[in-house]
Amino acid sequence: MAAPARDLPAVTTTRESGPRRRGPRDIPRFLLLCLLAVIFLAPMYWMVATSLKAETDVIATPTQWVPLRPTLDNYREVFTSPDGNILRWMWNSFFVASVFTVLHVALCALTAYPLARMRFKGRDTIFWIILGSMMIPWVVSLIPTYLMMLKFNWINSFHSLIWPGLAGAFGVFLLRQFFMALPKELEEAARLDGANSLQVLWHVILPLSIPALVTLAVFAFMGSWNNFIWPTFVVTDIDKLTLPVGVNTFSQRYVTEYGKLMASTAIASVPVLIAYLLAQRYLISGLSTTGLKE
Amino acid sequence: MSLSLPRENVPPRRRRGGESSGLVPYLYLLPFALLFFVFVVYPVGYGFYVSMHRWDLLAETRPFVGLEYYRNLFDFSTPQAQFFWNSMRNTAFFTIVSVPLLVATALGLALLLYRPIFGRAFFRAVFFLPGVLTVSVMGILWRWMFDNQIGLVNAVRTDIFHLQPLPFLSTEGLAWIPIIVGTLWWTIGFNMTLYLAALGNISQSLYEAAEIDGATAWPKFRFITWPLLGPVTLFVFVTTVLASFQLFGQTLVITAGGPNRTTQSAIQYITEEAFTNNQFSSASAMAFMFGLVMLIFTFLQFRIMARDAREGS
């Protein structure tokens, strides 16, 4: 752990030791993988294909495997639907997830720092209490938190989507482990130069921890963006919905109009697919390094 | 900041760097502590308080009723008890069926993918990709795949295999298939990635030594790969069980818990009781009961799996 994952993009999973040549033995394995890939991609294909069909073609028999008369009407209707504005929901999701991510990462860093690099009374107890909170199933606090939101008048407000989840134990744990592994010589050098603890955190610890901070940010953003259950209950105002909830209201409205439904799910998928392609390296390596080394 | 100034001029006699005492560490912890108490600690106590009172949003008074709502959960003449334990049974069924599939399939995919092969990065991305979709998109997608008449699955059945279309979504028992298949598709990449990381950490020299002794693929897997994957398997298993127990979005979107509540999950029923029936006390009691079952389950799992890991090594 001396050089803690500085090479994150190189992903632990790509570490191949021993030269293994590709040979004819690999052909069955390759074909099997191709078959599985086709099965995995089929739902996505069917989503796009359906979204490009007119409603009469969606229910046509025999099945149209490929849209014979492709049309963008479904997309046009989803974008201009009076039942809700999908671009607005996307923006809401983006706004909530961004604010949440910035606050969450900052809060976790502030909390992990003393827990990892200072000595004080009760440090380990505090850490174990935070960690222990992961054992509480969230459903236990679902109803009381909802009642609190009512009392705070935070129903239909983004406050209810941002504040309750901020104090997450996982982020503190992740950053603490990372901070602990940093060499103390750098910190001591900064100290001798007269830096106070906040300056050490800002100029020494955080710059060295970018891989961990990015990993946590990606998890926080994805978690907030994809959150479905909680917003379902605290947001009912059509203009305040987040994307997952908004798309689901479409699904209740267009029960049988699968063309429109698939257009809306395709639109909802685009941002996450782009984000995934951009963050792929961090996402997969972050997964592989969360406490599973050794 | 200035709080620590006097100390800065003192030669560094601190152990392990950083301030050794004073208020500073607690100041750092303060923002987290505030949020932690308001949104993590307090709700648990508040929820318990709610479950012990007859809570009505519109009523002036909220009389204390003690454990009445907990007792009701064991009085099977009430619909609450019937529906709650029915939903718990459904959740347990889903967990028991889906977890072995989720663990075994993830391991299988990882074994197929960890040695270099043409297009490996592409395959890995394809298997991971569905996991980034939000649960409502995933649910709508699989509801459409298994649509009673014209979903892709029934289209393949009728047009290619000349079978009758099956009304998956509205048939008791069959309705689990879209939910389980959809969940498999949605979450497999996550577990696969964990397994890939673990496989990458196994030293190649172990296999080389085994090859010298003439070991073939199966013994190599049985005596090297599988035992060394023990810790990851424990992790994957426990997290998958916990996640499966929290089943909610898939059943809500794909089947809405139907037909006849046969796919209604525990959390779905708890939220129905709270937000549709406005029975917050009863729902709180159910939430605690659910939480208790989960805690016991988690505890037992760790005990059993930890023992197995010790014996295995």
Side-chain angles (χ1 to χ4, degrees):
Chain A
M1 283 303 278
R6 299 311 318 279
D7 56 342
L8 259 188
V11 185
T12 32
T13 53
T14 53
R15 201 172 73 199
E16 259 80 54
S17 31
R20 283 189 168 267
R21 266 161 286 123
R22 294 169 190 158
R25 262 186 351 142
D26 281 341
I27 289 174
R29 184 159 69 102
F30 181 74
L31 292 178
L32 182 58
L33 282 167
C34 286
L35 177 70
L36 288 168
V38 168
I39 295 172
F40 263 77
L41 289 174
M44 305 252 201
Y45 169 76
W46 200 233
M47 167 172 80
V48 176
T50 308
S51 73
L52 295 173
K53 290 178 192 169
E55 218 51 61
T56 48
D57 287 353
V58 170
I59 54 171
T61 43
T63 313
Q64 280 188 17
W65 302 104
V66 178
L68 296 178
R69 293 172 293 162
T71 164
L72 288 174
D73 283 353
N74 291 319
Y75 288 90
R76 211 166 291 134
E77 280 177 56
V78 165
F79 275 119
T80 56
S81 164
D83 298 317
N85 184 337
I86 201 164
L87 290 176
R88 167 102 217 171
W89 298 336
M90 217 179 271
W91 165 252
N92 291 347
S93 280
F94 181 77
F95 177 79
V96 167
S98 304
V99 174
F100 177 83
T101 302
V102 169
L103 292 176
H104 183 64
V105 174
L107 186 70
C108 288
L110 275 185
T111 313
Y113 176 49
L115 291 176
R117 308 200 65 101
M118 293 182 190
R119 308 195 122 233
F120 56 92
K121 211 163 163 273
R123 183 188 66 175
D124 294 343
T125 315
I126 292 171
F127 178 66
W128 284 110
I129 290 174
I130 294 175
L131 212 56
S133 73
M134 287 211 273
M135 295 287 283
I136 308 170
W138 58 261
V139 67
V140 166
S141 46
L142 177 73
I143 292 158
T145 312
Y146 175 80
L147 293 173
M148 283 163 71
M149 297 297 109
L150 275 180
K151 211 174 277 174
F152 293 178
N153 224 348
W154 277 2
I155 299 296
N156 281 323
S157 152
F158 291 154
H159 286 300
S160 61
L161 300 183
I162 293 171
W163 295 100
L166 277 181
F170 173 75
V172 173
F173 175 71
L174 183 82
L175 294 186
R176 176 185 173 264
Q177 300 307 94
F178 202 90
F179 291 173
M180 288 215 308
L182 297 173
K184 48 176 189 291
E185 288 75 17
L186 284 169
E187 184 176 351
E188 275 163 8
R191 287 284 182 168
L192 287 174
D193 289 342
N196 64 31
S197 65
L198 207 57
Q199 288 165 329
V200 169
L201 174 63
W202 187 254
H203 292 294
V204 180
I205 306 281
L206 291 184
L208 288 174
S209 307
I210 297 214
L213 297 172
V214 171
T215 302
L216 180 59
V218 170
F219 276 114
F221 193 90
M222 298 273 302
S224 176
W225 179 279
N226 282 341
N227 197 359
F228 174 67
I229 304 177
W230 178 241
T232 304
F233 300 117
V234 290
V235 182
T236 48
D237 182 347
I238 196 97
D239 286 330
K240 295 266 174 59
L241 297 182
T242 53
L243 193 59
V245 187
V247 168
N248 196 44
T249 63
F250 271 167
S251 119
Q252 286 150 6
R253 203 141 311 173
Y254 304 138
V255 182
T256 53
E257 293 171 88
Y258 270 106
K260 277 180 215 159
L261 214 43
M262 288 304 118
S264 69
T265 54
I267 296 164
S269 309
V270 169
V272 284
L273 295 186
I274 291 174
Y276 167 70
L277 293 175
L278 292 177
Q280 192 184 4
R281 304 182 311 176
Y282 287 111
L283 200 65
I284 293 186
S285 61
L287 258 176
S288 330
T289 47
T290 40
L292 277 163
K293 284 272 184 83
E294 273 127 18
Chain B
M1 269 192 272
S2 55
L3 276 169
S4 54
L5 264 180
R7 304 195 137 261
E8 304 300 332
N9 302 323
V10 181
R13 61 191 159 94
R14 315 168 200 92
R15 294 179 289 176
R16 297 221 181 175
E19 280 100 320
S20 41
S21 64
L23 269 175
V24 175
Y26 301 106
L27 285 178
Y28 279 103
L29 295 175
L30 190 62
F32 190 91
L34 284 175
L35 286 166
F36 189 76
F37 276 106
V38 176
F39 291 115
V40 180
V41 179
Y42 178 73
V44 177
Y46 187 42
F48 193 60
Y49 179 85
V50 170
S51 75
M52 306 267 276
H53 292 72
R54 186 168 294 120
W55 204 270
D56 185 334
L57 281 181
L58 303 174
E60 289 287 304
T61 56
R62 280 142 190 185
F64 176 78
V65 294
L67 294 175
E68 188 188 302
Y69 287 107
Y70 293 88
R71 266 201 307 275
N72 280 351
L73 289 181
F74 297 95
D75 173 3
F76 287 91
S77 61
T78 64
Q80 273 89 354
Q82 290 166 18
F83 293 157
F84 176 69
W85 291 107
N86 168 57
S87 70
M88 289 292 274
R89 204 169 46 237
N90 293 340
T91 307
F93 171 79
F94 171 79
T95 306
I96 290 166
V97 175
S98 69
V99 169
L101 283 173
L102 282 167
V103 177
T105 322
L107 175 60
L109 282 182
L111 286 172
L112 280 175
L113 271 177
Y114 90 105
R115 280 187 290 128
I117 194 158
F118 180 74
R120 189 174 61 163
F122 167 78
F123 288 124
R124 223 190 274 162
V126 165
F127 298 142
F128 192 85
L129 206 60
V132 302
L133 298 177
T134 168
V135 68
S136 53
V137 166
M138 166 266 172
I140 296 168
L141 203 48
W142 282 92
R143 202 175 78 202
W144 172 223
M145 290 286 286
F146 277 92
D147 184 89
N148 289 349
Q149 293 303 319
I150 43 171
L152 183 62
V153 173
N154 275 325
V156 169
R157 283 179 64 88
T158 50
D159 291 15
I160 297 181
F161 296 104
H162 302 289
L163 297 163
Q164 286 297 311
L166 278 176
F168 286 99
L169 298 177
S170 51
T171 310
E172 289 186 17
L174 285 185
W176 279 110
I177 294 177
I179 294 165
I180 289 168
V181 173
T183 305
L184 203 64
W185 177 80
W186 189 43
T187 53
I188 201 79
F190 191 84
N191 288 349
M192 175 197 77
T193 305
L194 297 177
Y195 267 125
L196 276 172
L199 285 168
N201 284 340
I202 296 179
S203 164
Q204 212 59 39
S205 59
L206 289 171
Y207 294 110
E208 281 155 17
E211 271 165 30
I212 292 170
D213 291 342
T216 49
W218 171 246
K220 276 194 284 183
F221 175 79
R222 172 70 186 80
F223 295 108
I224 301 173
T225 317
W226 179 244
L228 286 176
L229 288 180
V232 201
T233 303
L234 168 70
F235 183 84
V236 169
F237 187 83
V238 172
T239 51
T240 310
V241 167
L242 291 181
S244 302
F245 230 76
Q246 319 243 10
L247 174 70
F248 175 77
Q250 298 100 299
T251 56
L252 185 77
V253 179
I254 299 177
T255 61
N260 296 326
R261 292 183 191 267
T262 50
T263 61
Q264 187 171 48
S265 71
I267 292 179
Q268 197 186 332
Y269 181 60
I270 293 172
T271 56
E272 181 190 313
E273 178 77 348
F275 302 112
T276 311
N277 305 342
N278 285 319
Q279 297 291 326
F280 290 101
S281 302
S282 163
S284 292
M286 289 174 195
F288 271 94
M289 189 62 74
F290 178 81
L292 187 71
V293 172
M294 261 182 83
L295 273 184
I296 294 172
F297 218 66
T298 316
F299 181 72
L300 285 179
Q301 267 182 351
F302 273 112
R303 284 287 295 269
I304 295 167
M305 301 288 284
R307 201 186 58 211
D308 284 356
R310 263 202 309 278
E311 282 168 0
S313 60

